[in-house]
Amino acid sequence: MNKNSIERFTDRVVDYEKFRPNYPKEIIRILQERIGLNKKWLIADIGSGTGLSTQLFLENGNDVFAVEPNRQMRESLVHHFKTYRNLIALNATAEDTSIESDCVDLIFAGQSFHWFDRTACYKEFKRILTKNGHIVLVWNQRDPEDAFQKEYEQFLLNHIPSYQSVSQRNITEDDLRSFFADRPMTKVCLPNQQVFDLKSFLGRVKSSSYFPKERVENKNLYDDLRSLFDKYSISQRVVFRYITEIYIS
């Protein structure tokens, strides 16, 4: 993970924490059923950000390494989960976690995975995992079958030049099979959603690293977003639908 990737979210921490979708709690049940997750497992949440994924495992009673190189996001995580004694926050990267070898039972990576150097991080994952350890990659993909999401996706493609190059949508299942190499991979999907008024919808949009922050300088962009919101909102609310994709190896 290079310095530009690390710093991309520095000025978006508040929006990220408030408006990004949570990971469904059902993920814990799925991991219990599929791979035998229990409270004794040591978890490494790589690219933990503000702790949206970390929370799942802390509440399950697991000891968790939260690996996050961005200082503002890491400090937000530490503040939010300060009452948990089973959390260790590390100023480190996916490619160099600073975790000792052969001790982690499960590596979890969420939305941040598409920023990782996959070759270097896979080598690091193998180093820190126990012999029978697991890797789980999860992200909230905007629902491609939803009418609002189809138009929102087209809006991003039309208005944000950098969007296509930084989206996790660029990661295909073939890419993941290549990443996992000789490890088998299982995919599970869950529905997920958020409900936004106009203000929180704009907050969700601004939480993305590719979206320009300055509203005054991008008035047309925000006007078009409001028009999109008005077109699909019911009682001044719009449903933002996702498919949570879970890749277990």
Side-chain angles (χ1 to χ4, degrees):
M1 184 181 291
N2 61 44
K3 186 179 181 193
N4 288 339
S5 299
I6 292 170
E7 298 298 330
R8 288 184 77 98
F9 291 94
T10 295
D11 61 349
R12 300 171 194 266
V13 172
V14 173
D15 287 334
Y16 198 99
E17 191 170 35
K18 283 185 178 180
F19 303 120
R20 281 299 179 103
N22 289 322
Y23 294 96
K25 292 184 178 181
E26 194 176 352
I27 289 173
I28 294 295
R29 179 189 60 78
I30 289 170
L31 297 181
Q32 289 168 340
E33 292 176 354
R34 299 286 180 123
I35 58 177
L37 170 69
N38 63 59
K39 296 180 180 182
K40 294 180 180 180
W41 284 21
L42 177 60
I43 311 298
D45 186 5
I46 310 295
S48 54
T50 60
L52 293 174
S53 49
T54 312
Q55 183 172 2
L56 291 173
F57 298 100
L58 291 177
E59 292 181 350
N60 191 52
N62 297 98
D63 290 340
V64 182
F65 287 117
V67 177
E68 175 51 56
N70 181 282
R71 179 176 62 83
Q72 287 82 355
M73 298 193 94
R74 190 175 61 256
E75 288 176 353
S76 176
L77 178 148
V78 170
H79 174 75
H80 190 68
F81 299 109
K82 60 187 175 185
T83 60
Y84 286 86
R85 297 193 174 189
N86 51 334
L87 170 67
I88 299 176
L90 299 175
N91 176 16
T93 66
E95 299 81 13
D96 184 10
T97 63
S98 75
I99 299 171
E100 64 182 83
S101 300
D102 305 315
C103 71
V104 171
D105 298 295
L106 187 151
I107 289 173
F108 185 100
Q111 307 287 134
S112 59
F113 177 76
H114 71 282
W115 299 112
F116 298 171
D117 178 319
R118 291 178 209 163
T119 301
C121 82
Y122 187 72
K123 182 178 179 181
E124 177 71 352
F125 289 3
K126 287 181 68 176
R127 184 187 69 79
I128 67 175
L129 276 176
T130 60
K131 181 180 178 181
N132 298 313
H134 302 267
I135 301 172
V136 177
L137 306 178
V138 179
W139 37 81
N140 289 303
Q141 198 80 279
R142 295 194 307 277
D143 186 350
E145 301 304 316
D146 179 71
F148 169 72
Q149 291 292 5
K150 286 180 180 179
E151 196 158 337
Y152 179 61
E153 174 73 6
Q154 195 58 52
F155 169 88
L156 295 175
L157 291 170
N158 292 343
H159 289 78
I160 313 293
S162 63
Y163 164 66
Q164 202 161 13
S165 65
V166 299
S167 171
Q168 78 269 8
R169 287 172 181 244
N170 294 331
I171 302 175
T172 67
E173 289 189 28
D174 286 342
D175 291 333
L176 292 176
R177 288 191 183 92
S178 176
F179 172 75
F180 288 129
D182 56 348
R183 300 174 64 101
M185 182 184 83
T186 302
K187 180 181 179 182
V188 181
C189 292
L190 298 172
N192 199 4
Q193 69 177 40
Q194 294 173 286
V195 178
F196 293 130
D197 60 14
L198 178 61
K199 182 178 179 181
S200 56
F201 168 61
L202 294 177
R204 169 62 182 87
V205 173
K206 290 190 295 180
S207 73
S208 298
S209 65
Y210 47 76
F211 199 83
K213 290 283 285 185
E214 297 302 324
R215 188 163 183 163
V216 174
E217 296 176 12
N218 297 278
K219 183 177 182 303
N220 291 339
L221 198 64
Y222 281 88
D223 288 345
D224 289 348
L225 274 174
R226 173 152 196 162
S227 295
L228 181 61
F229 177 88
D230 289 341
K231 179 178 177 180
Y232 285 94
S233 64
I234 299 174
S235 299
Q236 299 301 305
R237 298 288 188 276
V238 70
V239 179
F240 208 87
R241 291 187 171 88
Y242 304 90
I243 302 296
T244 301
E245 298 180 350
I246 306 164
Y247 298 91
I248 304 168
S249 179

